[in-house]
Amino acid sequence: MKYISRVVGLLCTGAALCGLSVQAGAPISIETLLTDMVDRDAVARYPEPDFRLKQHSSYDRRSTSPDDPKGWFKNKDTNWKETDTNFIRIEENNGRKEWVLMDHERPGAIVRSWMPWRFVGKPATDITMRIYLDGSDEPAIEGNMLEMFGGDGLIPYPLAHPSLRSAVNFFPIPYAKSCKVTTDKHPFYFIFTFREYDAGTPIKTFTMKDFEAAKALTEKAGQRLLNPEADGAVKPQRFRAKLGSQQEKALDLPEGTASVRELTVKLGSYADPAVTRKVVLKMEFDGRETVWCPLGEFFGTGVGLNPVEGWYRTVGEDGTMSCRWVMPYRKGGRVSLLNLGDEAVEAELEVKTGAWSWDERSMYFHAGWRGQYPLATRPYSDWNYVSLKGRGVYVGDTLTLMNPTDKWWGEGDEKIWVDGEDFPSLFGTGTEDYYGYSWGARSTDFYQHPFHAQPRAYKYNKLNRKTAEREDNNLGFSVETRSRSLDTMPFGSSLKLDMEVWHWADCGVGYGVGTYWYGFADTTSNRKPEPEEVLNVPPCPDMDGGAAKSE
């Protein structure tokens, strides 16, 4: 992976990129969006101006209603044949036949796109993609569908990313009136995720001239993402303790208005991989418990020690697990570790706090957890990650899945309903696509990016990389994690996130998911502490073909 070398002093801490800050009240533009991308404080405040996240994808158009289970779980969410129609329409532009993949008629900004290789072993395409903005007959962006967003083309890494058999783009493409995305040939899978703003929201539409002018800011944003240090963390508190079975130890946070800026946990041993499931992180702010989540799903390591680095979380090879979500509070708070396991655990906890200016847009950080084992793969079903009521912003999740067979488990699509809508705003094409890669049965390998990662798949992680290209085995634990920046999901009254359980085998899998969101004092969740399910750690199949074993 092409990590850019650290450049010290490029960026100021806080909201603005050094020397390239954006004035408050300026129209939304490439510059304001790039600045917001690396501003952790901004995520902890309800967005202004407000927006809703939407998505156009190649999901199977026969999926129209959960009242029709046969159609709801249809899985042909591609356009392999000329007769497939999982796109918007075909039209003619400037004498060319073009397939329309996205067509949005309001102010907005593309903030994430995903396109896989058409053939599992061939990282190339001859398809030209065009992006038309504000009704123009001429495309604002034009180029090879994969190459533009593969990290070596128009958009540089890490704003664009090759992932595993996919091209994933996070570079913002704002527009004042409308956006249409087309291809000159029959498209394959695709996802375009975009912000939708209220009519009249001032937006400076993307141009190549502005793109060129923003290259210094783009580079600095990329450097910042790849060197994810916490901002404003000035008051460390810590403890080191031996936690017996069912024992909890806590740190009280400084009184008054402040914010957690960095939180670090390290356990004495990871010899028992289940220790990251059995030790739970708890947090309360201003008298309300907002975090109850096993360490594995909170930090993105899953079951066991699987090193990974992202914009918000890092799991080091030495077992140090760090989080950089900004967590504001008005009066006080507490952070604690709870050992639900039978064996004593050595644990270190460090919390660094910093300043916060509380206002009417400030929100509390939340993290919840749900687990289930065994979870039947037949009949097909939607498995609820979380359902929220009130007002807030959804910012990420980590899925740990135990698969007892070598068959592929990740055909299921995300379905996300916001503010009580009749059909999900975001309807995806596959669990692995949601987490930023493709061809999951072949892509059982470690990968990481600031905003998404696969810390473990089958028996591979950062410390044990896959070497056999054609090895298709999906046994055991897989860990998928995603955090959101420009693609956060604000909600005004409710949010419901389901993931299809769609497996190629009829079996019993194990699911454990950690979910992260910000909310106001009256925002509620259906996720409650599940200490019994935490201890129900799925047994991992023997990778050498023997009996199942506990992990």
Side-chain angles (χ1 to χ4, degrees), residues 241-511:
K242 185 173 184 178
L243 303 177
S245 177
Q246 307 300 314
Q247 186 176 358
E248 179 177 345
K249 186 172 177 59
L251 276 178
D252 289 322
L253 301 177
E255 294 183 358
T257 302
S259 60
V260 173
R261 295 277 164 169
E262 187 172 34
L263 187 153
T264 301
V265 175
K266 185 177 182 182
L267 303 181
S269 172
Y270 297 88
D272 174 10
V275 71
T276 58
R277 173 65 58 83
K278 296 176 182 178
V279 178
V280 171
L281 176 69
K282 298 173 61 177
M283 303 183 72
E284 63 179 62
F285 298 108
D286 296 341
R288 301 177 184 86
E289 184 174 274
T290 68
V291 173
W292 197 99
C293 189
L295 296 180
E297 278 72 52
F298 185 84
F299 289 102
T301 183
V303 171
L305 179 61
N306 299 293
V308 64
E309 180 170 86
W311 172 235
Y312 283 103
R313 293 156 300 155
T314 298
V315 177
E317 296 181 16
D318 67 347
T320 301
M321 301 177 286
S322 298
C323 156
R324 292 171 290 275
W325 299 106
V326 174
M327 308 177 193
Y329 59 91
R330 301 187 74 172
K331 298 178 181 179
R334 171 175 289 193
V335 182
S336 61
L337 296 177
L338 168 63
N339 177 21
L340 293 174
D342 292 333
E343 302 297 326
V345 175
E346 298 279 354
E348 301 176 43
L349 170 67
E350 180 180 87
V351 181
K352 294 180 181 178
T353 56
W356 184 263
S357 177
W358 192 276
D359 59 19
E360 70 278 1
R361 292 169 48 219
S362 297
M363 298 180 292
Y364 295 102
F365 178 83
H366 296 253
W369 185 82
R370 182 190 181 194
Q372 186 175 351
Y373 174 76
L375 171 60
T377 62
R378 297 291 186 276
Y380 302 120
S381 63
D382 289 328
W383 195 75
N384 179 242
Y385 273 27
V386 70
S387 294
L388 306 172
K389 292 185 178 180
R391 193 161 63 109
V393 178
Y394 188 82
V395 295
D397 40 70
T398 295
L399 172 67
T400 303
L401 181 139
M402 195 289 295
N403 182 21
T405 81
D406 63 357
K407 304 299 183 183
W408 174 234
W409 54 264
E411 293 291 339
D413 308 331
E414 82 272 14
K415 300 167 182 175
I416 306 173
W417 288 261
V418 179
D419 297 341
E421 59 200 357
D422 295 331
F423 192 82
S425 297
L426 298 95
F427 198 130
T429 60
T431 305
E432 83 273 35
D433 311 342
Y434 175 82
Y435 288 107
Y437 65 104
S438 60
W439 291 103
R442 185 68 58 85
S443 297
T444 47
D445 192 10
F446 167 85
Y447 92 94
Q448 67 179 14
H449 177 271
F451 296 136
H452 52 205
Q454 182 170 250
R456 174 174 172 169
Y458 181 36
K459 55 188 177 183
Y460 301 116
N461 65 10
K462 188 176 183 179
L463 304 178
N464 178 35
R465 296 300 303 275
K466 182 177 180 179
T467 57
E469 171 65 20
R470 295 196 58 84
E471 180 182 27
D472 297 352
N473 197 323
N474 301 282
L475 270 172
F477 283 100
S478 292
V479 183
E480 319 294 334
T481 189
R482 177 174 177 180
S483 61
R484 297 169 177 265
S485 180
L486 294 184
D487 59 333
T488 58
M489 292 191 291
F491 52 96
S493 60
S494 65
L495 182 144
K496 178 185 177 184
L497 195 165
D498 290 348
M499 189 70 73
E500 282 183 350
V501 178
W502 210 114
H503 196 299
W504 283 108
D506 183 353
C507 60
V509 296
Y511 268 37

Side-chain angles (χ1 to χ4, degrees), residues 100-114:
V100 179
L101 315 188
M102 171 183 166
D103 194 8
H104 182 233
E105 292 283 345
R106 285 183 70 172
I110 297 176
V111 291
R112 182 181 186 266
S113 64
W114 167 90

Side-chain angles (χ1 to χ4, degrees), residues 83-194:
T83 54
D84 294 335
T85 57
N86 294 326
F87 50 86
I88 296 174
R89 64 180 179 273
I90 301 173
E91 63 184 26
E92 186 172 297
N93 293 315
N94 299 319
R96 295 184 301 263
K97 184 179 179 181
E98 296 187 22
W99 285 255
V100 179
L101 315 188
M102 171 183 166
D103 194 8
H104 182 233
E105 292 283 345
R106 285 183 70 172
I110 297 176
V111 291
R112 182 181 186 266
S113 64
W114 167 90
M115 287 153 284
W117 300 359
R118 186 177 183 89
F119 300 101
V120 64
K122 186 178 179 182
T125 185
D126 60 354
I127 295 177
T128 296
M129 184 171 68
R130 296 178 174 89
I131 302 178
Y132 300 88
L133 303 178
D134 293 352
S136 174
D137 292 334
E138 296 299 323
I141 303 173
E142 179 178 357
N144 182 280
M145 189 175 188
L146 292 180
E147 292 175 2
M148 283 198 301
F149 297 148
D152 288 322
L154 177 69
I155 309 298
Y157 183 85
L159 283 299
H161 174 47
S163 189
L164 294 176
R165 296 175 171 79
S166 294
V168 189
N169 177 53
F170 292 94
F171 191 91
I173 304 172
Y175 47 93
K177 298 178 182 179
S178 65
C179 176
K180 181 173 67 176
V181 180
T182 73
T183 57
D184 67 348
K185 295 182 181 179
H186 207 217
F188 192 42
Y189 289 94
F190 61 87
I191 294 174
F192 293 93
T193 307
F194 55 93

